[in-house]
Amino acid sequence: MACLNSDGTLSPSGRALVAAVSSPVTPEEVAGVTGLALFRVRAGLRELAAAGLVVVDGDTYRAA
Amino acid sequence: MDATHDDANGGARLPRLNEPAPDFEATTTHGVVRLADFAGGWLVLFSHPADFTPVCTTEFLAFAAIYPELQRRHTELLGLSIDSVSSHIAWVRNIEEKTGVAIPFPIIADLDRAVATAYGMVMPGESTTETSRCVFVIDPIGRVRAMIYYPLTTGRNTEEIVRLVDALQMTDARQVATPANWRSGDKVIIPTPSTIEVAAERMSEEFAARTEGFERVDWYLCKKSVEAL
């Protein structure tokens, strides 16, 4: 989803996703809150998790 | 030789109907996406020959026009060509600047042809450097449910793609088939009887009386009404 810019800062959608996972939520819940398509949420959360900015716990994600 | 292994396609096994769609992870205009990111919904994966070309531009305008219709059907669009992300971005921005139409769906930048090869999108008889106009409809559990191939010269009918998605979803929901030129709201075909007993039942007046909108040509061709999805 390109949540991270090449300089390591968050893109607008990255900021939206990080804000949406302040408490543990599923990708489906994030899609509902942000209005983003589910595939974009899944891809974005994966990218943010790889960067250590969100934590995966089973089916839910939360900010690191 | 297995007909699904194509020498001209680098020996890759080509997709077949009702089998798992080839998996991928690809760079797109919306970041890196995987096939699995679309799980649970329908996906229309389509290729176009090249950015900044006339037929493709008309097609992208047409795909953008049907995108809201597809979203109402829990269906996403994903484009692809053998161009870079920067080329895709420049083209999409140019389309919006010249026509006012935003392209809302991601486009795969398949410079290494990994996805194009897996899906058999390059037709060497037409071009060895461009993908042809291919469409793959992939269902919520990742199976290829329909494939359409058009040549470089001929733009696709995107309304047909919406109709196709409608028909596939109706088939899944009601276990029926759909006749030629079927559209949502039209009668559907009751599956052909597979036994003498069921064929006889299909010809009975009792069956006709309890089947909404029943229409019979003969035992093997009967239609009925169904609620729209």
Side-chain angles (χ1 to χ4, degrees), chain A:
Chain A
M1 188 178 173
C3 291
L4 289 169
N5 298 314
S6 55
D7 63 359
T9 58
L10 288 169
S11 68
S13 53
R15 290 194 294 274
L17 286 184
V18 170
V21 297
S22 54
S23 59
V25 285
T26 65
E28 289 77 7
E29 290 168 332
V30 174
V33 168
T34 61
L36 292 168
L38 182 56
F39 80 88
R40 294 186 65 182
V41 172
R42 286 170 172 161
L45 291 176
R46 184 172 61 244
E47 183 184 4
L48 293 171
L53 296 173
V54 303
V55 176
V56 188
D57 183 12
D59 295 335
T60 63
Y61 293 78
R62 61 176 169 79

Coordinates of all heavy atoms in Angstrom, one line a residue, chain A:
Chain A
M1 N 0.8 -1.2 0.0 CA 0.0 0.0 0.0 C 0.8 1.2 0.0 O 0.4 2.4 -0.1 CB -0.9 0.0 1.2 CG -1.9 1.1 1.2 SD -3.0 0.9 2.7 CE -3.9 2.4 2.5
A2 N 2.1 1.0 0.1 CA 3.0 2.2 0.2 C 2.7 3.1 1.4 O 2.4 4.3 1.2 CB 3.0 2.9 -1.1
C3 N 2.8 2.5 2.5 CA 2.5 3.3 3.7 C 3.7 4.0 4.2 O 3.7 4.9 5.0 CB 2.1 2.3 4.9 SG 0.5 1.6 4.6
L4 N 4.9 3.6 3.7 CA 6.2 4.2 4.1 C 6.8 4.9 2.9 O 6.9 4.3 1.8 CB 7.1 3.1 4.7 CG 6.8 2.5 6.0 CD1 7.6 1.3 6.3 CD2 7.0 3.6 7.1
N5 N 7.3 6.1 3.1 CA 8.0 6.8 2.1 C 9.5 6.3 2.1 O 9.9 5.6 3.1 CB 8.0 8.3 2.3 CG 6.6 8.8 2.2 OD1 5.8 8.5 1.3 ND2 6.2 9.7 3.2
S6 N 10.2 6.6 1.1 CA 11.6 6.0 1.0 C 12.5 6.6 2.1 O 13.5 6.0 2.4 CB 12.2 6.4 -0.4 OG 12.1 7.8 -0.6
D7 N 12.1 7.7 2.7 CA 12.9 8.3 3.8 C 12.4 7.7 5.2 O 12.9 8.2 6.2 CB 12.8 9.8 3.8 CG 11.4 10.4 4.0 OD1 10.5 9.5 4.1 OD2 11.2 11.6 4.0
G8 N 11.5 6.8 5.1 CA 11.1 6.2 6.4 C 9.9 6.8 7.0 O 9.4 6.3 8.0
T9 N 9.5 8.0 6.5 CA 8.3 8.6 7.1 C 7.0 8.0 6.6 O 7.0 7.3 5.5 CB 8.2 10.1 6.7 OG1 8.2 10.2 5.3 CG2 9.5 10.8 7.3
L10 N 5.9 8.2 7.3 CA 4.6 7.6 6.9 C 4.0 8.4 5.8 O 3.9 9.6 5.8 CB 3.7 7.5 8.1 CG 4.1 6.5 9.2 CD1 3.2 6.7 10.4 CD2 3.9 5.1 8.6
S11 N 3.4 7.7 4.8 CA 2.5 8.3 3.8 C 1.2 8.7 4.4 O 0.9 8.2 5.5 CB 2.4 7.4 2.6 OG 1.6 6.3 3.0
P12 N 0.4 9.4 3.7 CA -1.0 9.7 4.3 C -1.8 8.5 4.7 O -2.4 8.4 5.7 CB -1.7 10.5 3.2 CG -0.5 11.2 2.4 CD 0.6 10.2 2.5
S13 N -1.7 7.5 3.8 CA -2.5 6.2 4.1 C -1.8 5.5 5.3 O -2.5 4.9 6.1 CB -2.6 5.3 2.9 OG -1.4 5.1 2.3
G14 N -0.5 5.6 5.4 CA 0.2 5.0 6.5 C -0.2 5.6 7.8 O -0.4 4.9 8.8
R15 N -0.3 6.9 7.8 CA -0.7 7.6 9.0 C -2.2 7.2 9.4 O -2.5 7.0 10.6 CB -0.6 9.1 8.8 CG 0.8 9.7 8.8 CD 0.9 11.2 8.9 NE 0.3 11.9 7.8 CZ 0.9 12.2 6.7 NH1 2.1 11.9 6.5 NH2 0.2 12.9 5.7
A16 N -3.0 7.1 8.4 CA -4.4 6.7 8.6 C -4.5 5.3 9.2 O -5.3 5.1 10.2 CB -5.2 6.8 7.3
L17 N -3.6 4.4 8.7 CA -3.7 3.0 9.3 C -3.1 3.0 10.7 O -3.7 2.3 11.6 CB -2.9 2.1 8.3 CG -3.5 1.7 7.0 CD1 -2.6 0.7 6.3 CD2 -4.9 1.1 7.2
V18 N -2.0 3.7 10.9 CA -1.5 3.6 12.3 C -2.5 4.2 13.3 O -2.7 3.7 14.4 CB -0.1 4.4 12.3 CG1 0.3 4.6 13.8 CG2 0.9 3.7 11.5
A19 N -3.2 5.3 12.9 CA -4.2 5.9 13.8 C -5.3 4.9 14.0 O -5.9 4.9 15.1 CB -4.7 7.2 13.1
A20 N -5.6 4.1 13.0 CA -6.8 3.2 13.2 C -6.5 2.0 14.0 O -7.4 1.3 14.4 CB -7.2 2.7 11.8
V21 N -5.2 1.7 14.3 CA -4.8 0.5 15.1 C -4.3 0.9 16.5 O -3.5 0.3 17.1 CB -3.8 -0.4 14.4 CG1 -4.4 -0.9 13.1 CG2 -2.5 0.4 14.1
S22 N -4.9 2.0 17.0 CA -4.5 2.4 18.4 C -4.9 1.4 19.4 O -4.2 1.2 20.5 CB -5.1 3.8 18.7 OG -6.5 3.7 18.6
S23 N -5.9 0.7 19.2 CA -6.3 -0.5 20.0 C -6.4 -1.7 19.0 O -6.5 -1.5 17.8 CB -7.6 -0.3 20.7 OG -8.6 -0.1 19.7
P24 N -6.3 -2.9 19.6 CA -6.2 -4.1 18.7 C -7.5 -4.2 17.8 O -8.6 -4.2 18.3 CB -6.1 -5.3 19.6 CG -5.5 -4.7 20.9 CD -6.1 -3.3 21.0
V25 N -7.3 -4.3 16.5 CA -8.4 -4.4 15.6 C -8.0 -5.3 14.4 O -6.9 -5.6 14.1 CB -8.8 -3.0 15.0 CG1 -9.5 -2.1 16.0 CG2 -7.5 -2.3 14.5
T26 N -9.1 -5.8 13.8 CA -8.9 -6.7 12.6 C -8.8 -5.8 11.4 O -9.2 -4.7 11.3 CB -10.0 -7.7 12.4 OG1 -11.2 -6.9 12.1 CG2 -10.2 -8.5 13.7
P27 N -8.2 -6.4 10.3 CA -8.2 -5.6 9.0 C -9.6 -5.2 8.6 O -9.7 -4.1 8.0 CB -7.5 -6.6 8.1 CG -6.7 -7.5 8.9 CD -7.4 -7.6 10.2
E28 N -10.5 -6.1 8.8 CA -11.9 -5.7 8.4 C -12.4 -4.5 9.1 O -13.1 -3.6 8.6 CB -12.8 -6.9 8.6 CG -12.6 -8.1 7.7 CD -11.4 -9.0 8.0 OE1 -10.8 -8.7 9.1 OE2 -11.1 -9.9 7.2
E29 N -12.1 -4.5 10.4 CA -12.5 -3.3 11.2 C -11.8 -2.0 10.8 O -12.4 -0.9 10.7 CB -12.2 -3.6 12.7 CG -13.2 -4.6 13.3 CD -12.7 -5.1 14.7 OE1 -11.5 -5.1 15.0 OE2 -13.6 -5.5 15.4
V30 N -10.5 -2.2 10.4 CA -9.7 -1.0 10.0 C -10.3 -0.5 8.6 O -10.5 0.7 8.4 CB -8.2 -1.4 9.8 CG1 -7.5 -0.2 9.1 CG2 -7.6 -1.7 11.1
A31 N -10.7 -1.4 7.8 CA -11.3 -1.0 6.5 C -12.6 -0.3 6.8 O -12.9 0.7 6.1 CB -11.6 -2.3 5.6
G32 N -13.4 -0.7 7.7 CA -14.6 0.0 8.0 C -14.4 1.4 8.6 O -15.1 2.3 8.2
V33 N -13.4 1.5 9.4 CA -13.1 2.8 10.0 C -12.5 3.8 9.0 O -12.8 5.0 9.0 CB -12.1 2.6 11.2 CG1 -11.6 4.0 11.7 CG2 -12.9 1.9 12.4
T34 N -11.6 3.3 8.2 CA -10.8 4.2 7.3 C -11.5 4.4 6.0 O -11.2 5.4 5.3 CB -9.4 3.7 7.1 OG1 -9.5 2.4 6.4 CG2 -8.6 3.5 8.3
G35 N -12.4 3.5 5.6 CA -13.0 3.5 4.3 C -12.1 3.0 3.2 O -12.4 3.1 2.0
L36 N -10.9 2.5 3.6 CA -10.0 1.9 2.6 C -10.5 0.5 2.2 O -11.1 -0.2 3.0 CB -8.6 1.8 3.1 CG -7.9 3.1 3.4 CD1 -6.7 2.9 4.2 CD2 -7.6 3.8 2.1
A37 N -10.2 0.1 1.0 CA -10.6 -1.3 0.5 C -9.8 -2.3 1.4 O -8.6 -2.0 1.8 CB -10.2 -1.4 -0.9
L38 N -10.4 -3.4 1.6 CA -9.8 -4.4 2.5 C -8.4 -4.8 2.0 O -7.5 -5.0 2.8 CB -10.7 -5.6 2.6 CG -10.2 -6.7 3.5 CD1 -9.9 -6.2 5.0 CD2 -11.3 -7.9 3.6
F39 N -8.2 -5.0 0.7 CA -6.9 -5.4 0.2 C -5.8 -4.4 0.5 O -4.7 -4.7 0.7 CB -7.0 -5.8 -1.3 CG -6.9 -4.6 -2.2 CD1 -5.7 -4.1 -2.7 CD2 -8.1 -3.9 -2.6 CE1 -5.7 -2.9 -3.5 CE2 -8.0 -2.8 -3.5 CZ -6.8 -2.3 -3.9
R40 N -6.2 -3.1 0.4 CA -5.3 -2.1 0.7 C -4.9 -2.1 2.2 O -3.7 -1.9 2.6 CB -5.8 -0.7 0.4 CG -6.0 -0.6 -1.1 CD -6.4 0.8 -1.5 NE -5.4 1.8 -1.2 CZ -5.5 3.1 -1.4 NH1 -6.6 3.6 -1.8 NH2 -4.4 3.9 -1.1
V41 N -5.9 -2.4 3.1 CA -5.6 -2.4 4.5 C -4.7 -3.6 4.8 O -3.7 -3.5 5.5 CB -6.9 -2.6 5.3 CG1 -6.6 -2.9 6.8 CG2 -7.7 -1.3 5.1
R42 N -5.0 -4.8 4.2 CA -4.1 -5.9 4.5 C -2.7 -5.7 4.0 O -1.7 -6.0 4.7 CB -4.7 -7.2 3.7 CG -5.9 -7.7 4.3 CD -6.6 -8.8 3.4 NE -7.7 -9.5 4.1 CZ -8.6 -10.2 3.4 NH1 -8.5 -10.2 2.1 NH2 -9.6 -10.8 4.0
A43 N -2.5 -5.1 2.8 CA -1.2 -4.9 2.3 C -0.5 -3.8 3.1 O 0.7 -3.9 3.4 CB -1.3 -4.4 0.8
G44 N -1.2 -2.8 3.6 CA -0.6 -1.7 4.3 C -0.2 -2.2 5.7 O 0.9 -1.9 6.2
L45 N -1.1 -3.0 6.4 CA -0.7 -3.4 7.7 C 0.5 -4.4 7.7 O 1.4 -4.4 8.6 CB -1.9 -4.1 8.4 CG -3.1 -3.2 8.8 CD1 -4.2 -4.0 9.3 CD2 -2.6 -2.2 9.8
R46 N 0.6 -5.2 6.6 CA 1.7 -6.0 6.4 C 3.0 -5.2 6.3 O 4.1 -5.6 6.9 CB 1.5 -6.9 5.2 CG 2.6 -8.0 5.0 CD 2.3 -8.9 3.9 NE 2.1 -8.3 2.6 CZ 1.0 -8.2 1.9 NH1 -0.1 -8.8 2.4 NH2 0.9 -7.6 0.8
E47 N 2.9 -4.1 5.6 CA 4.1 -3.3 5.4 C 4.5 -2.6 6.7 O 5.7 -2.6 7.0 CB 3.8 -2.2 4.3 CG 5.0 -1.3 4.0 CD 4.6 -0.2 3.0 OE1 3.4 -0.1 2.6 OE2 5.5 0.6 2.6
L48 N 3.5 -2.1 7.4 CA 3.8 -1.5 8.7 C 4.3 -2.5 9.7 O 5.2 -2.1 10.5 CB 2.5 -0.8 9.2 CG 2.0 0.4 8.4 CD1 0.6 0.8 8.9 CD2 3.0 1.5 8.4
A49 N 3.8 -3.7 9.7 CA 4.3 -4.7 10.6 C 5.8 -5.1 10.3 O 6.6 -5.2 11.2 CB 3.4 -6.0 10.5
A50 N 6.1 -5.1 9.0 CA 7.5 -5.4 8.6 C 8.4 -4.3 9.1 O 9.6 -4.6 9.4 CB 7.6 -5.6 7.1
A51 N 7.9 -3.1 9.2 CA 8.7 -2.0 9.6 C 8.7 -1.8 11.1 O 9.4 -0.9 11.6 CB 8.2 -0.7 8.9
G52 N 8.0 -2.7 11.8 CA 8.0 -2.6 13.2 C 7.1 -1.6 13.8 O 7.1 -1.2 15.0
L53 N 6.2 -1.0 13.0 CA 5.3 0.1 13.4 C 4.0 -0.4 14.0 O 3.3 0.3 14.7 CB 5.1 1.1 12.3 CG 6.3 1.8 11.8 CD1 6.1 2.7 10.6 CD2 6.9 2.7 13.0
V54 N 3.6 -1.6 13.6 CA 2.4 -2.2 14.2 C 2.8 -3.7 14.6 O 3.8 -4.2 14.1 CB 1.2 -2.2 13.2 CG1 0.8 -0.9 12.8 CG2 1.4 -3.2 12.1
V55 N 2.0 -4.2 15.5 CA 2.3 -5.5 16.0 C 1.1 -6.4 15.7 O -0.1 -6.0 15.8 CB 2.4 -5.5 17.6 CG1 2.6 -6.9 18.1 CG2 3.6 -4.6 17.9
V56 N 1.4 -7.6 15.2 CA 0.4 -8.6 14.8 C 0.2 -9.5 16.0 O 1.2 -10.1 16.5 CB 0.8 -9.4 13.6 CG1 -0.4 -10.3 13.1 CG2 1.3 -8.5 12.5
D57 N -1.1 -9.7 16.3 CA -1.4 -10.7 17.4 C -2.6 -11.5 16.9 O -3.7 -11.1 17.1 CB -1.7 -10.0 18.7 CG -1.9 -10.9 19.9 OD1 -1.7 -12.1 19.7 OD2 -2.4 -10.5 20.9
G58 N -2.3 -12.7 16.4 CA -3.4 -13.5 15.8 C -4.0 -12.7 14.6 O -3.3 -12.4 13.6
D59 N -5.3 -12.5 14.7 CA -6.0 -11.8 13.6 C -6.0 -10.3 13.8 O -6.6 -9.6 13.0 CB -7.5 -12.3 13.5 CG -7.5 -13.8 13.1 OD1 -6.5 -14.2 12.5 OD2 -8.5 -14.4 13.5
T60 N -5.5 -9.8 14.9 CA -5.6 -8.3 15.1 C -4.2 -7.6 15.0 O -3.2 -8.3 15.1 CB -6.2 -8.1 16.5 OG1 -5.3 -8.6 17.5 CG2 -7.5 -8.7 16.7
Y61 N -4.3 -6.3 14.8 CA -3.2 -5.5 14.7 C -3.3 -4.3 15.7 O -4.4 -3.9 16.0 CB -3.1 -4.9 13.3 CG -2.8 -5.9 12.2 CD1 -3.8 -6.7 11.7 CD2 -1.5 -6.1 11.7 CE1 -3.6 -7.7 10.7 CE2 -1.3 -7.0 10.7 CZ -2.3 -7.8 10.2 OH -2.0 -8.7 9.2
R62 N -2.1 -3.9 16.2 CA -2.2 -2.7 17.1 C -0.8 -2.0 16.9 O 0.2 -2.5 16.4 CB -2.3 -3.1 18.6 CG -1.2 -4.0 19.1 CD -1.4 -4.2 20.6 NE -0.5 -5.3 21.0 CZ 0.8 -5.1 21.3 NH1 1.3 -3.9 21.1 NH2 1.6 -6.1 21.7
A63 N -0.9 -0.7 17.2 CA 0.3 0.1 17.0 C 1.4 -0.4 18.0 O 1.1 -0.8 19.1 CB 0.0 1.6 17.3
A64 N 2.6 -0.3 17.5 CA 3.8 -0.8 18.3 C 4.1 0.2 19.4 O 3.8 1.3 19.3 CB 5.0 -1.0 17.4

